[in-house]
Amino acid sequence: MKYVFSKLFQRASFQPSAALVFYTDTVVLVQAKTEHFIVDRMGVSNVSDWSDAARNLITQYQLSGTDLKLVLGHGLYQSLVIDKPEVGIDELSTALPFLVKDLVNESPSELVADGFPATAKDRLQVFVASKQLITQVVLACHDCGCRVSDITTEDIAWSRFSDPNRSQLILHADVDGNLQLTAFNEQMLCFQRQLRGFSLPLFDRQALDGGGFQLDNLALELQRSLDFISAQLRNNPISQLIISCDNEDNQALADELNKRLNISVEAIKEVDSLLDTNAARLGWAALQRPKNAIINLYSDNLLPTKQWMTLTNIVASWVALIAIFAMWAGWNAWQNTIEQKKISDTIIALKC
């Protein structure tokens, strides 16, 4: 009972105040304080170093007892669209690894997945990731005294920067990443695309003086995507493009694209001066996610089941039982002694 109550109080003490964002070459921490944020990053040589990086960041910032939210960056998950299955919501995460087994290289037992209804009728948007990779990170956080409550993907996290009442397109790129397009219809993901063949930074004033051909080509690719998405969203076409690219003059880029596109283009609005990179923004977005978010790759079965029937526990149980029986036998013997004395005293009294 003491163990059960301690776990209950421990869980109640967790607070959703920190997020970890994972890329192939770095892990970024975003911690929410009362009046400011803490942002830090730790480089990794490959994804197998994620666990050590997570432990180091948790230890450095004394996050034991914190409820953590995780974000997987591009390249660390797969995004798929499949026919909508006849499966209940409660069974969806269990069934999805088997439903997408022909579309991925891993076996269903090695996958975690979740999904939601896609924009296209009778279709399902699915996100799939490696179970082993995620489990290692979850266990590392758990061993440091933290509890992971939410795991999302970069594409989903960007929805926090879109408007719930309109359709918008976000153009984003991290320091070493490729240019990405992500579209949202009332904060629901409806389109993803990677733009290739562009060199960063996109806005180069010297190149602009020479004609700005890269911006012209970018505007052309953006217009093609806008036409395609708007054709799918006839009742609510894309009305705005948001720019969020690392190491870029986002406002200057937005101004140039405003001249080339027939929709409004704006630079992303900064939430805080410390959230000045896409990784930090995604960490902040993860902290804003509600408990009933549409995509959550975390489930309790990522943690190992507590093994009660171990040799140590069995021996301890037998020792405890023997001690209890010994105490019970001793108490009975003591009670018998008292009763025998009472009977002896009664007999002596009667003889007298």
Side-chain angles (χ1 to χ4, degrees):
M1 291 297 293
K2 182 179 179 181
Y3 173 81
V4 172
F5 279 115
S6 67
K7 285 299 181 182
L8 288 175
F9 284 117
Q10 183 181 12
R11 174 163 295 199
S13 68
F14 282 108
Q15 297 295 327
S17 59
L20 291 173
V21 184
F22 295 89
Y23 292 99
T24 54
D25 59 352
T26 186
V27 177
V28 179
L29 166 73
V30 178
Q31 183 183 9
K33 291 291 188 178
T34 305
E35 298 180 351
H36 66 284
F37 291 91
I38 291 177
V39 180
D40 198 0
R41 63 175 58 222
M42 184 165 293
V44 295
S45 57
N46 52 63
V47 295
S48 62
D49 296 331
W50 277 2
S51 298
D52 290 337
R55 287 191 187 94
N56 291 335
L57 288 169
I58 291 171
T59 302
Q60 180 179 348
Y61 291 96
Q62 301 178 354
L63 298 179
S64 179
T66 299
D67 192 343
L68 293 177
K69 296 190 176 186
L70 312 184
V71 183
L72 302 179
H74 272 290
L76 302 172
Y77 58 90
Q78 289 181 262
S79 176
L80 308 168
V81 178
I82 64 172
D83 293 331
K84 192 174 182 180
E86 297 295 330
V87 178
I89 296 297
D90 296 337
E91 302 173 348
L92 189 61
S93 60
T94 303
L96 280 178
F98 297 91
L99 296 174
V100 301
K101 64 180 181 180
D102 296 331
L103 304 174
V104 297
N105 296 326
E106 295 84 0
S107 67
S109 62
E110 297 173 344
L111 300 173
V112 291
D114 201 1
F116 62 90
T119 305
K121 187 178 180 181
D122 297 327
R123 303 282 278 175
L124 194 72
Q125 175 70 58
V126 181
F127 289 92
V128 184
S130 166
K131 184 175 183 179
Q132 181 181 5
L133 202 60
I134 290 179
T135 299
Q136 290 175 354
V137 176
V138 171
L139 287 176
C141 296
H142 185 265
D143 292 342
C144 292
C146 298
R147 182 175 73 94
V148 175
S149 63
D150 184 272
I151 302 177
T152 188
T153 64
E154 179 173 345
D155 290 315
I156 295 297
W158 277 112
S159 67
R160 301 304 303 178
F161 296 93
S162 64
D163 193 304
N165 299 313
R166 64 195 299 189
S167 294
Q168 294 167 300
L169 185 64
I170 300 179
L171 176 69
H172 54 97
D174 56 33
V175 176
D176 300 318
N178 293 310
L179 204 57
Q180 305 283 340
L181 277 179
T182 310
F184 298 93
N185 177 23
E186 298 178 351
Q187 292 192 325
M188 291 291 290
L189 178 69
C190 61
F191 178 82
Q192 308 149 274
R193 182 190 175 192
Q194 186 177 90
L195 298 181
R196 300 182 184 277
F198 294 94
S199 58
L200 301 178
L202 294 167
F203 180 80
D204 186 333
R205 195 169 297 278
Q206 183 177 359
L208 186 62
D209 293 339
F213 294 112
Q214 177 166 247
L215 288 179
D216 291 338
N217 291 334
L218 175 61
L220 179 61
E221 288 299 323
L222 290 172
Q223 190 61 56
R224 288 173 178 171
S225 296
L226 287 168
D227 293 341
F228 174 80
I229 303 167
S230 295
Q232 305 298 315
L233 305 174
R234 295 179 181 178
N235 296 328
N236 192 16
I238 299 292
S239 59
Q240 188 178 55
L241 172 65
I242 299 174
I243 308 295
S244 180
C245 298
D246 287 343
N247 293 343
E248 189 82 53
D249 188 339
N250 287 318
Q251 186 57 59
L253 180 58
D255 292 340
E256 288 299 323
L257 290 176
N258 257 318
K259 301 174 184 177
R260 294 168 167 82
L261 298 173
N262 56 8
I263 64 169
S264 168
V265 184
E266 290 188 3
I268 194 165
K269 293 180 174 61
E270 298 293 358
V271 177
D272 186 274
S273 59
L274 290 177
L275 305 177
D276 57 353
T277 66
N278 282 347
R281 295 181 186 111
L282 293 175
W284 173 86
L287 295 177
Q288 313 308 310
R289 279 168 55 83
K291 292 182 179 179
N292 59 344
I294 57 172
I295 287 290
N296 188 356
L297 296 176
Y298 176 81
S299 62
D300 288 337
N301 61 16
L302 292 176
L303 288 172
T305 304
K306 183 69 175 179
Q307 298 294 327
W308 296 104
M309 296 301 291
T310 62
L311 179 60
T312 302
N313 288 345
I314 292 174
V315 171
S317 299
W318 277 108
V319 170
L321 286 174
I322 291 171
I324 291 171
F325 278 118
M327 292 173 61
W328 179 75
W331 185 83
N332 279 332
W334 178 67
Q335 288 292 319
N336 287 335
T337 300
I338 293 175
E339 292 299 326
Q340 288 294 333
K341 188 177 184 304
K342 287 180 179 181
I343 293 173
S344 299
D345 292 343
T346 302
I347 293 173
I348 292 171
L350 289 174
K351 288 182 178 180
C352 293

